[in-house]
Amino acid sequence: MNILLIGSGGREHAMANALAKSHLLTRLYVAPGNPGTERVAENVDLDAGDHGAVVRFCREMGIALVVVGPEQPLIGGLVDALERAQILAFGPTQAAAQLEGSKGFTKDLCRDYGIPTAAYERFCDKDKALAWLREKGAPIVVKADGLAAGKGVVVAATLEEAERAVEAMFAGLFGGSGAEVVIEEFLEGEEASFFAICDGTRAVPFATAQDHKRVGDGDTGPNTGGMGAYSPASVVTPQIEARVMAEIIEPTMRAMREKGAPFKGVLYAGLMLTADGPKLIEYNNRFGDPEAQVILPRLADDLLEILLAASRGALPEAPPRFSNDGALTVVLCAKGYPGTPMTGSEIRGVAGAEAMAGVIVTHAGTRDEGGRLLAAGGRVLNVTALAGSVAEAQARAYAAVDAIDWTGGFCRRDIGWREIARERR
Ligand code: AMP
Ligand code: GLY
């Protein structure tokens, strides 16, 4: 069958690699894709925001399934348009995608269904927000409602910092998403990413990972889209996984069905593992980036079979199987990221890195110019390694990073540090 994958990041290159292995696949198209996806699929110049064009392409090419990688097209209603045209799609409808698109929606759902999350209050009025802050004190967390490309969250250590964040959000410094602000209790613990695959009714656990959101070593500096990840995250023990499914994922599936917006696709729970058990920080409606780069190479089953079953509302009860290997990804970024990245610099040595045992390089913000590979974004390449343990995967990944010759780039040197400390113990 022919498949259309929407997106252009490292996540979509990892998804394309996994889909390309399927025995069910005839042709794989990626829109718009990147120089990495071009090697395993056919990139097509198609705007995911132009639903009519996507539907026409699917009809012309006999597309059996559309897989949506990033959040914007989901929140933009691409799946709804495809379903109206009777084209099968993997991903939530616009109504179901509110789980990622609106923090207020998700917080209210948690309250109504008893899902553990940080205590919170929603504000449309700045003065009321400031008064509440002063009553609660710091540390405290201030969030702009809606999508803000990961930049809409301020974890404030002091009251002054929290007040500045509220002022900035109501002044519109976070784009249109600042019309409403959510203020919530600061949760203490270790974070983990938990992924479930959902078919509208059933959710099955998929995999765990840990991301590294801060730009600097030792988790310092501003937040980014993610500087590296590893999988599995052993901090999510089988007992914690059972609690996450029973206390967070399953009540969410029930809630969405009752709201008339059954959830199909990837439910990605950002968790805080607190002394009182796992609590939901936020939901995303898609695979993580860079988490997909560490999860999908470990998948032992056929990704396309799983996504098809989920899209048809017929997931098997047994969760997908994974290898016991550890996987670790280091994200290579253009200097300047997460501010304005310096693009256009040349990257050499990628083939040498890819030739190393257990190493996979996926592309994100790259551009091919007459055979030369150039940086064309903030997060540019992902260097992933698989090995018997996360510590070995880390050693392999950094050996491969060092084989890449790119003076215009940088990366964190400590991806996986929590897990490696655990493995040593
Ligand atoms: P979010 O965009 O909601 O995932 O938030 C971004 C980051 O802010 C999270 O990955 C956490 O590190 C941090 N964060 C968000 N909410 C809280 C909270 N209630 N307590 C502590 N840290 C939080
Ligand atoms: N790695 C964080 C995200 O995909 O949202």
Side-chain angles (χ1 to χ4, degrees), residues 378-425:
R379 295 193 293 171
V380 173
L381 286 173
N382 308 274
V383 179
T384 303
L386 288 158
S389 66
V390 172
E392 284 169 61
Q394 188 201 49
R396 282 185 171 184
Y398 280 112
V401 166
D402 292 335
I404 295 176
D405 173 15
W406 180 27
T407 49
F410 75 96
C411 65
R412 273 181 65 162
R413 300 299 310 192
D414 66 344
I415 301 301
W417 65 272
R418 285 191 185 80
E419 190 71 8
I420 289 161
R422 267 194 285 274
E423 283 178 353
R424 287 212 185 95
R425 271 183 252 126

mmCIF file of all heavy atoms in Angstrom, residues 378-425:
data_model
loop_
_atom_site.group_PDB
_atom_site.id
_atom_site.type_symbol
_atom_site.label_atom_id
_atom_site.label_comp_id
_atom_site.label_asym_id
_atom_site.label_seq_id
_atom_site.Cartn_x
_atom_site.Cartn_y
_atom_site.Cartn_z
ATOM 1 N N GLY A 378 17.331 25.068 13.381
ATOM 2 C CA GLY A 378 17.908 25.081 14.728
ATOM 3 C C GLY A 378 18.426 23.706 15.103
ATOM 4 O O GLY A 378 19.624 23.484 15.297
ATOM 5 N N ARG A 379 17.493 22.743 15.205
ATOM 6 C CA ARG A 379 17.926 21.358 15.430
ATOM 7 C C ARG A 379 18.182 20.761 14.052
ATOM 8 O O ARG A 379 17.302 20.760 13.190
ATOM 9 C CB ARG A 379 16.840 20.603 16.193
ATOM 10 C CG ARG A 379 16.651 21.183 17.602
ATOM 11 C CD ARG A 379 15.835 20.295 18.494
ATOM 12 N NE ARG A 379 14.446 20.183 18.082
ATOM 13 C CZ ARG A 379 13.571 19.313 18.613
ATOM 14 N NH1 ARG A 379 13.975 18.463 19.535
ATOM 15 N NH2 ARG A 379 12.324 19.277 18.204
ATOM 16 N N VAL A 380 19.378 20.263 13.825
ATOM 17 C CA VAL A 380 19.830 19.969 12.462
ATOM 18 C C VAL A 380 19.962 18.462 12.202
ATOM 19 O O VAL A 380 19.462 17.955 11.207
ATOM 20 C CB VAL A 380 21.154 20.717 12.178
ATOM 21 C CG1 VAL A 380 21.747 20.307 10.843
ATOM 22 C CG2 VAL A 380 20.890 22.234 12.205
ATOM 23 N N LEU A 381 20.656 17.756 13.087
ATOM 24 C CA LEU A 381 20.865 16.312 12.904
ATOM 25 C C LEU A 381 20.637 15.614 14.242
ATOM 26 O O LEU A 381 20.799 16.220 15.308
ATOM 27 C CB LEU A 381 22.311 16.025 12.469
ATOM 28 C CG LEU A 381 22.734 16.339 11.039
ATOM 29 C CD1 LEU A 381 24.241 16.130 10.915
ATOM 30 C CD2 LEU A 381 22.002 15.463 10.023
ATOM 31 N N ASN A 382 20.279 14.336 14.167
ATOM 32 C CA ASN A 382 20.161 13.507 15.365
ATOM 33 C C ASN A 382 21.080 12.314 15.189
ATOM 34 O O ASN A 382 20.954 11.586 14.202
ATOM 35 C CB ASN A 382 18.743 12.969 15.531
ATOM 36 C CG ASN A 382 17.718 14.078 15.465
ATOM 37 O OD1 ASN A 382 17.427 14.715 16.460
ATOM 38 N ND2 ASN A 382 17.196 14.321 14.278
ATOM 39 N N VAL A 383 21.971 12.120 16.149
ATOM 40 C CA VAL A 383 22.864 10.966 16.092
ATOM 41 C C VAL A 383 22.389 9.979 17.151
ATOM 42 O O VAL A 383 22.445 10.255 18.346
ATOM 43 C CB VAL A 383 24.326 11.389 16.338
ATOM 44 C CG1 VAL A 383 25.231 10.172 16.306
ATOM 45 C CG2 VAL A 383 24.751 12.412 15.289
ATOM 46 N N THR A 384 21.895 8.831 16.679
ATOM 47 C CA THR A 384 21.311 7.814 17.561
ATOM 48 C C THR A 384 22.214 6.594 17.581
ATOM 49 O O THR A 384 22.760 6.216 16.535
ATOM 50 C CB THR A 384 19.923 7.391 17.033
ATOM 51 O OG1 THR A 384 19.109 8.548 16.939
ATOM 52 C CG2 THR A 384 19.260 6.368 17.942
ATOM 53 N N ALA A 385 22.385 5.980 18.743
ATOM 54 C CA ALA A 385 23.099 4.705 18.808
ATOM 55 C C ALA A 385 22.300 3.722 19.639
ATOM 56 O O ALA A 385 21.612 4.100 20.595
ATOM 57 C CB ALA A 385 24.484 4.899 19.401
ATOM 58 N N LEU A 386 22.383 2.456 19.254
ATOM 59 C CA LEU A 386 21.762 1.350 19.978
ATOM 60 C C LEU A 386 22.870 0.485 20.542
ATOM 61 O O LEU A 386 23.894 0.272 19.894
ATOM 62 C CB LEU A 386 20.936 0.485 19.017
ATOM 63 C CG LEU A 386 19.631 1.076 18.508
ATOM 64 C CD1 LEU A 386 19.230 0.403 17.209
ATOM 65 C CD2 LEU A 386 18.548 0.912 19.554
ATOM 66 N N ALA A 387 22.672 -0.027 21.758
ATOM 67 C CA ALA A 387 23.667 -0.916 22.363
ATOM 68 C C ALA A 387 22.995 -1.671 23.503
ATOM 69 O O ALA A 387 21.812 -1.468 23.779
ATOM 70 C CB ALA A 387 24.858 -0.113 22.866
ATOM 71 N N GLY A 388 23.781 -2.514 24.181
ATOM 72 C CA GLY A 388 23.223 -3.354 25.251
ATOM 73 C C GLY A 388 22.752 -2.542 26.450
ATOM 74 O O GLY A 388 21.912 -2.997 27.219
ATOM 75 N N SER A 389 23.291 -1.342 26.631
ATOM 76 C CA SER A 389 22.889 -0.504 27.761
ATOM 77 C C SER A 389 22.877 0.941 27.280
ATOM 78 O O SER A 389 23.434 1.268 26.232
ATOM 79 C CB SER A 389 23.892 -0.636 28.913
ATOM 80 O OG SER A 389 25.141 -0.090 28.507
ATOM 81 N N VAL A 390 22.248 1.815 28.074
ATOM 82 C CA VAL A 390 22.216 3.235 27.711
ATOM 83 C C VAL A 390 23.637 3.815 27.783
ATOM 84 O O VAL A 390 24.028 4.632 26.946
ATOM 85 C CB VAL A 390 21.215 4.004 28.602
ATOM 86 C CG1 VAL A 390 21.307 5.500 28.383
ATOM 87 C CG2 VAL A 390 19.788 3.523 28.314
ATOM 88 N N ALA A 391 24.439 3.356 28.748
ATOM 89 C CA ALA A 391 25.817 3.861 28.865
ATOM 90 C C ALA A 391 26.615 3.527 27.599
ATOM 91 O O ALA A 391 27.341 4.384 27.072
ATOM 92 C CB ALA A 391 26.498 3.263 30.093
ATOM 93 N N GLU A 392 26.478 2.295 27.111
ATOM 94 C CA GLU A 392 27.195 1.931 25.873
ATOM 95 C C GLU A 392 26.644 2.700 24.675
ATOM 96 O O GLU A 392 27.395 3.093 23.778
ATOM 97 C CB GLU A 392 27.048 0.436 25.581
ATOM 98 C CG GLU A 392 27.896 -0.475 26.429
ATOM 99 C CD GLU A 392 27.448 -1.925 26.222
ATOM 100 O OE1 GLU A 392 27.525 -2.420 25.079
ATOM 101 O OE2 GLU A 392 26.977 -2.531 27.203
ATOM 102 N N ALA A 393 25.338 2.878 24.663
ATOM 103 C CA ALA A 393 24.726 3.643 23.556
ATOM 104 C C ALA A 393 25.255 5.071 23.580
ATOM 105 O O ALA A 393 25.530 5.667 22.532
ATOM 106 C CB ALA A 393 23.201 3.619 23.668
ATOM 107 N N GLN A 394 25.433 5.629 24.780
ATOM 108 C CA GLN A 394 25.962 6.997 24.882
ATOM 109 C C GLN A 394 27.386 7.067 24.318
ATOM 110 O O GLN A 394 27.727 7.978 23.549
ATOM 111 C CB GLN A 394 25.956 7.474 26.340
ATOM 112 C CG GLN A 394 26.314 8.945 26.456
ATOM 113 C CD GLN A 394 26.813 9.349 27.834
ATOM 114 O OE1 GLN A 394 27.688 8.688 28.397
ATOM 115 N NE2 GLN A 394 26.255 10.426 28.361
ATOM 116 N N ALA A 395 28.215 6.089 24.684
ATOM 117 C CA ALA A 395 29.610 6.102 24.201
ATOM 118 C C ALA A 395 29.628 6.022 22.672
ATOM 119 O O ALA A 395 30.362 6.760 22.002
ATOM 120 C CB ALA A 395 30.384 4.935 24.820
ATOM 121 N N ARG A 396 28.784 5.153 22.116
ATOM 122 C CA ARG A 396 28.723 5.007 20.653
ATOM 123 C C ARG A 396 28.204 6.279 19.993
ATOM 124 O O ARG A 396 28.698 6.691 18.944
ATOM 125 C CB ARG A 396 27.762 3.887 20.280
ATOM 126 C CG ARG A 396 28.355 2.528 20.456
ATOM 127 C CD ARG A 396 27.383 1.484 19.943
ATOM 128 N NE ARG A 396 28.045 0.198 19.926
ATOM 129 C CZ ARG A 396 27.509 -0.910 19.464
ATOM 130 N NH1 ARG A 396 26.285 -0.891 18.965
ATOM 131 N NH2 ARG A 396 28.175 -2.031 19.475
ATOM 132 N N ALA A 397 27.185 6.872 20.589
ATOM 133 C CA ALA A 397 26.591 8.071 19.980
ATOM 134 C C ALA A 397 27.618 9.207 19.957
ATOM 135 O O ALA A 397 27.779 9.881 18.928
ATOM 136 C CB ALA A 397 25.331 8.490 20.736
ATOM 137 N N TYR A 398 28.329 9.410 21.061
ATOM 138 C CA TYR A 398 29.292 10.520 21.058
ATOM 139 C C TYR A 398 30.506 10.232 20.170
ATOM 140 O O TYR A 398 31.073 11.158 19.583
ATOM 141 C CB TYR A 398 29.700 10.905 22.489
ATOM 142 C CG TYR A 398 28.644 11.774 23.147
ATOM 143 C CD1 TYR A 398 27.896 11.305 24.218
ATOM 144 C CD2 TYR A 398 28.382 13.050 22.655
ATOM 145 C CE1 TYR A 398 26.909 12.089 24.803
ATOM 146 C CE2 TYR A 398 27.394 13.848 23.229
ATOM 147 C CZ TYR A 398 26.659 13.366 24.302
ATOM 148 O OH TYR A 398 25.683 14.148 24.866
ATOM 149 N N ALA A 399 30.883 8.946 20.022
ATOM 150 C CA ALA A 399 31.966 8.624 19.076
ATOM 151 C C ALA A 399 31.525 9.015 17.664
ATOM 152 O O ALA A 399 32.312 9.565 16.870
ATOM 153 C CB ALA A 399 32.315 7.138 19.159
ATOM 154 N N ALA A 400 30.245 8.759 17.361
ATOM 155 C CA ALA A 400 29.727 9.109 16.028
ATOM 156 C C ALA A 400 29.613 10.624 15.870
ATOM 157 O O ALA A 400 29.915 11.172 14.807
ATOM 158 C CB ALA A 400 28.377 8.426 15.804
ATOM 159 N N VAL A 401 29.174 11.304 16.938
ATOM 160 C CA VAL A 401 29.102 12.774 16.893
ATOM 161 C C VAL A 401 30.491 13.334 16.562
ATOM 162 O O VAL A 401 30.634 14.249 15.738
ATOM 163 C CB VAL A 401 28.611 13.339 18.252
ATOM 164 C CG1 VAL A 401 28.856 14.841 18.351
ATOM 165 C CG2 VAL A 401 27.125 13.019 18.459
ATOM 166 N N ASP A 402 31.516 12.750 17.188
ATOM 167 C CA ASP A 402 32.877 13.263 16.979
ATOM 168 C C ASP A 402 33.411 12.972 15.587
ATOM 169 O O ASP A 402 34.398 13.566 15.164
ATOM 170 C CB ASP A 402 33.814 12.698 18.059
ATOM 171 C CG ASP A 402 33.460 13.269 19.439
ATOM 172 O OD1 ASP A 402 32.871 14.375 19.485
ATOM 173 O OD2 ASP A 402 33.747 12.600 20.454
ATOM 174 N N ALA A 403 32.762 12.045 14.872
ATOM 175 C CA ALA A 403 33.178 11.749 13.490
ATOM 176 C C ALA A 403 32.581 12.766 12.516
ATOM 177 O O ALA A 403 32.936 12.791 11.339
ATOM 178 C CB ALA A 403 32.745 10.334 13.115
ATOM 179 N N ILE A 404 31.636 13.577 13.014
ATOM 180 C CA ILE A 404 31.002 14.587 12.150
ATOM 181 C C ILE A 404 31.766 15.903 12.277
ATOM 182 O O ILE A 404 32.072 16.345 13.382
ATOM 183 C CB ILE A 404 29.504 14.761 12.517
ATOM 184 C CG1 ILE A 404 28.765 13.460 12.200
ATOM 185 C CG2 ILE A 404 28.889 15.934 11.761
ATOM 186 C CD1 ILE A 404 27.304 13.444 12.605
ATOM 187 N N ASP A 405 32.070 16.477 11.127
ATOM 188 C CA ASP A 405 32.893 17.684 11.082
ATOM 189 C C ASP A 405 31.976 18.867 10.776
ATOM 190 O O ASP A 405 31.534 19.042 9.638
ATOM 191 C CB ASP A 405 33.953 17.483 9.983
ATOM 192 C CG ASP A 405 34.754 18.748 9.725
ATOM 193 O OD1 ASP A 405 34.696 19.676 10.554
ATOM 194 O OD2 ASP A 405 35.435 18.795 8.675
ATOM 195 N N TRP A 406 31.628 19.607 11.820
ATOM 196 C CA TRP A 406 30.700 20.724 11.630
ATOM 197 C C TRP A 406 31.017 21.832 12.636
ATOM 198 O O TRP A 406 30.589 21.769 13.784
ATOM 199 C CB TRP A 406 29.253 20.237 11.811
ATOM 200 C CG TRP A 406 28.236 21.320 11.631
ATOM 201 C CD1 TRP A 406 28.359 22.452 10.875
ATOM 202 C CD2 TRP A 406 26.949 21.387 12.253
ATOM 203 N NE1 TRP A 406 27.224 23.213 10.965
ATOM 204 C CE2 TRP A 406 26.335 22.583 11.806
ATOM 205 C CE3 TRP A 406 26.248 20.558 13.120
ATOM 206 C CZ2 TRP A 406 25.066 22.972 12.211
ATOM 207 C CZ3 TRP A 406 24.983 20.947 13.513
ATOM 208 C CH2 TRP A 406 24.402 22.131 13.055
ATOM 209 N N THR A 407 31.753 22.807 12.179
ATOM 210 C CA THR A 407 32.170 23.885 13.091
ATOM 211 C C THR A 407 31.005 24.801 13.457
ATOM 212 O O THR A 407 31.053 25.484 14.472
ATOM 213 C CB THR A 407 33.299 24.727 12.469
ATOM 214 O OG1 THR A 407 32.891 25.077 11.144
ATOM 215 C CG2 THR A 407 34.605 23.961 12.406
ATOM 216 N N GLY A 408 29.955 24.804 12.640
ATOM 217 C CA GLY A 408 28.813 25.676 12.909
ATOM 218 C C GLY A 408 27.812 25.097 13.898
ATOM 219 O O GLY A 408 26.787 25.715 14.157
ATOM 220 N N GLY A 409 28.128 23.905 14.442
ATOM 221 C CA GLY A 409 27.137 23.240 15.290
ATOM 222 C C GLY A 409 27.622 23.001 16.707
ATOM 223 O O GLY A 409 28.797 23.199 17.028
ATOM 224 N N PHE A 410 26.696 22.578 17.567
ATOM 225 C CA PHE A 410 27.051 22.213 18.943
ATOM 226 C C PHE A 410 26.037 21.182 19.440
ATOM 227 O O PHE A 410 24.982 20.990 18.827
ATOM 228 C CB PHE A 410 27.057 23.438 19.865
ATOM 229 C CG PHE A 410 25.678 23.935 20.228
ATOM 230 C CD1 PHE A 410 25.075 23.551 21.425
ATOM 231 C CD2 PHE A 410 24.971 24.758 19.357
ATOM 232 C CE1 PHE A 410 23.775 23.992 21.754
ATOM 233 C CE2 PHE A 410 23.689 25.204 19.681
ATOM 234 C CZ PHE A 410 23.096 24.829 20.877
ATOM 235 N N CYS A 411 26.394 20.525 20.544
ATOM 236 C CA CYS A 411 25.450 19.600 21.175
ATOM 237 C C CYS A 411 25.739 19.541 22.661
ATOM 238 O O CYS A 411 26.765 20.021 23.124
ATOM 239 C CB CYS A 411 25.572 18.194 20.572
ATOM 240 S SG CYS A 411 27.166 17.406 20.884
ATOM 241 N N ARG A 412 24.802 18.966 23.410
ATOM 242 C CA ARG A 412 25.085 18.673 24.817
ATOM 243 C C ARG A 412 25.987 17.452 24.888
ATOM 244 O O ARG A 412 25.909 16.563 24.057
ATOM 245 C CB ARG A 412 23.768 18.434 25.574
ATOM 246 C CG ARG A 412 23.162 19.727 26.087
ATOM 247 C CD ARG A 412 21.893 19.503 26.844
ATOM 248 N NE ARG A 412 22.094 18.733 28.086
ATOM 249 C CZ ARG A 412 21.207 18.696 29.078
ATOM 250 N NH1 ARG A 412 20.070 19.379 28.982
ATOM 251 N NH2 ARG A 412 21.439 17.970 30.163
ATOM 252 N N ARG A 413 26.827 17.383 25.923
ATOM 253 C CA ARG A 413 27.769 16.266 26.057
ATOM 254 C C ARG A 413 27.335 15.307 27.154
ATOM 255 O O ARG A 413 28.097 14.392 27.483
ATOM 256 C CB ARG A 413 29.185 16.787 26.381
ATOM 257 C CG ARG A 413 29.813 17.713 25.366
ATOM 258 C CD ARG A 413 30.047 17.183 23.957
ATOM 259 N NE ARG A 413 30.721 15.907 23.843
ATOM 260 C CZ ARG A 413 31.207 15.423 22.685
ATOM 261 N NH1 ARG A 413 31.114 16.139 21.551
ATOM 262 N NH2 ARG A 413 31.782 14.257 22.647
ATOM 263 N N ASP A 414 26.154 15.492 27.719
ATOM 264 C CA ASP A 414 25.777 14.682 28.891
ATOM 265 C C ASP A 414 24.416 14.001 28.739
ATOM 266 O O ASP A 414 23.784 13.665 29.742
ATOM 267 C CB ASP A 414 25.779 15.569 30.143
ATOM 268 C CG ASP A 414 24.693 16.647 30.083
ATOM 269 O OD1 ASP A 414 24.150 16.895 28.967
ATOM 270 O OD2 ASP A 414 24.381 17.234 31.129
ATOM 271 N N ILE A 415 23.987 13.803 27.480
ATOM 272 C CA ILE A 415 22.668 13.175 27.286
ATOM 273 C C ILE A 415 22.670 11.789 27.957
ATOM 274 O O ILE A 415 23.611 11.017 27.790
ATOM 275 C CB ILE A 415 22.324 13.062 25.778
ATOM 276 C CG1 ILE A 415 22.305 14.444 25.111
ATOM 277 C CG2 ILE A 415 21.002 12.316 25.565
ATOM 278 C CD1 ILE A 415 21.321 15.440 25.698
ATOM 279 N N GLY A 416 21.611 11.515 28.711
ATOM 280 C CA GLY A 416 21.486 10.211 29.369
ATOM 281 C C GLY A 416 22.077 10.149 30.767
ATOM 282 O O GLY A 416 22.103 9.078 31.375
ATOM 283 N N TRP A 417 22.517 11.297 31.311
ATOM 284 C CA TRP A 417 23.283 11.250 32.569
ATOM 285 C C TRP A 417 22.529 10.606 33.725
ATOM 286 O O TRP A 417 23.121 9.867 34.509
ATOM 287 C CB TRP A 417 23.820 12.631 32.948
ATOM 288 C CG TRP A 417 22.774 13.675 33.265
ATOM 289 C CD1 TRP A 417 22.162 14.509 32.388
ATOM 290 C CD2 TRP A 417 22.225 13.980 34.555
ATOM 291 N NE1 TRP A 417 21.270 15.318 33.042
ATOM 292 C CE2 TRP A 417 21.285 15.030 34.371
ATOM 293 C CE3 TRP A 417 22.442 13.487 35.852
ATOM 294 C CZ2 TRP A 417 20.561 15.573 35.424
ATOM 295 C CZ3 TRP A 417 21.717 14.035 36.906
ATOM 296 C CH2 TRP A 417 20.786 15.069 36.684
ATOM 297 N N ARG A 418 21.220 10.828 33.801
ATOM 298 C CA ARG A 418 20.474 10.245 34.934
ATOM 299 C C ARG A 418 20.466 8.721 34.845
ATOM 300 O O ARG A 418 20.673 8.021 35.828
ATOM 301 C CB ARG A 418 19.024 10.727 34.922
ATOM 302 C CG ARG A 418 18.850 12.145 35.388
ATOM 303 C CD ARG A 418 17.367 12.439 35.603
ATOM 304 N NE ARG A 418 17.166 13.837 35.932
ATOM 305 C CZ ARG A 418 17.152 14.817 35.037
ATOM 306 N NH1 ARG A 418 17.317 14.553 33.765
ATOM 307 N NH2 ARG A 418 16.995 16.061 35.419
ATOM 308 N N GLU A 419 20.228 8.219 33.633
ATOM 309 C CA GLU A 419 20.114 6.768 33.450
ATOM 310 C C GLU A 419 21.484 6.101 33.655
ATOM 311 O O GLU A 419 21.570 5.016 34.220
ATOM 312 C CB GLU A 419 19.591 6.466 32.041
ATOM 313 C CG GLU A 419 19.205 5.025 31.809
ATOM 314 C CD GLU A 419 17.923 4.625 32.542
ATOM 315 O OE1 GLU A 419 17.249 5.497 33.117
ATOM 316 O OE2 GLU A 419 17.623 3.414 32.537
ATOM 317 N N ILE A 420 22.516 6.776 33.194
ATOM 318 C CA ILE A 420 23.852 6.178 33.316
ATOM 319 C C ILE A 420 24.258 6.108 34.789
ATOM 320 O O ILE A 420 24.828 5.117 35.238
ATOM 321 C CB ILE A 420 24.849 6.952 32.423
ATOM 322 C CG1 ILE A 420 24.497 6.617 30.953
ATOM 323 C CG2 ILE A 420 26.300 6.588 32.740
ATOM 324 C CD1 ILE A 420 25.016 7.580 29.942
ATOM 325 N N ALA A 421 23.895 7.129 35.558
ATOM 326 C CA ALA A 421 24.145 7.086 37.000
ATOM 327 C C ALA A 421 23.378 5.911 37.630
ATOM 328 O O ALA A 421 23.901 5.204 38.486
ATOM 329 C CB ALA A 421 23.738 8.400 37.652
ATOM 330 N N ARG A 422 22.150 5.681 37.171
ATOM 331 C CA ARG A 422 21.348 4.553 37.691
ATOM 332 C C ARG A 422 21.983 3.224 37.309
ATOM 333 O O ARG A 422 22.069 2.316 38.126
ATOM 334 C CB ARG A 422 19.932 4.598 37.107
ATOM 335 C CG ARG A 422 18.941 5.340 37.963
ATOM 336 C CD ARG A 422 17.508 5.069 37.509
ATOM 337 N NE ARG A 422 17.189 5.788 36.280
ATOM 338 C CZ ARG A 422 16.751 7.060 36.259
ATOM 339 N NH1 ARG A 422 16.589 7.715 37.378
ATOM 340 N NH2 ARG A 422 16.482 7.664 35.125
ATOM 341 N N GLU A 423 22.439 3.121 36.047
ATOM 342 C CA GLU A 423 23.057 1.851 35.599
ATOM 343 C C GLU A 423 24.316 1.554 36.430
ATOM 344 O O GLU A 423 24.580 0.408 36.761
ATOM 345 C CB GLU A 423 23.410 1.915 34.102
ATOM 346 C CG GLU A 423 22.200 1.752 33.192
ATOM 347 C CD GLU A 423 22.548 1.864 31.695
ATOM 348 O OE1 GLU A 423 23.703 2.203 31.346
ATOM 349 O OE2 GLU A 423 21.626 1.628 30.871
ATOM 350 N N ARG A 424 25.084 2.600 36.767
ATOM 351 C CA ARG A 424 26.302 2.390 37.572
ATOM 352 C C ARG A 424 25.947 1.848 38.940
ATOM 353 O O ARG A 424 26.644 0.992 39.470
ATOM 354 C CB ARG A 424 27.085 3.703 37.720
ATOM 355 C CG ARG A 424 27.781 4.088 36.446
ATOM 356 C CD ARG A 424 29.084 4.828 36.685
ATOM 357 N NE ARG A 424 29.602 5.237 35.380
ATOM 358 C CZ ARG A 424 29.379 6.448 34.843
ATOM 359 N NH1 ARG A 424 28.731 7.373 35.514
ATOM 360 N NH2 ARG A 424 29.847 6.725 33.649
ATOM 361 N N ARG A 425 24.860 2.375 39.511
ATOM 362 C CA ARG A 425 24.427 1.905 40.825
ATOM 363 C C ARG A 425 23.910 0.481 40.701
ATOM 364 O O ARG A 425 24.129 -0.385 41.416
ATOM 365 C CB ARG A 425 23.313 2.809 41.377
ATOM 366 C CG ARG A 425 23.845 3.989 42.165
ATOM 367 C CD ARG A 425 22.682 4.793 42.751
ATOM 368 N NE ARG A 425 22.530 6.051 42.046
ATOM 369 C CZ ARG A 425 21.401 6.497 41.482
ATOM 370 N NH1 ARG A 425 20.322 5.741 41.503
ATOM 371 N NH2 ARG A 425 21.355 7.658 40.897
#
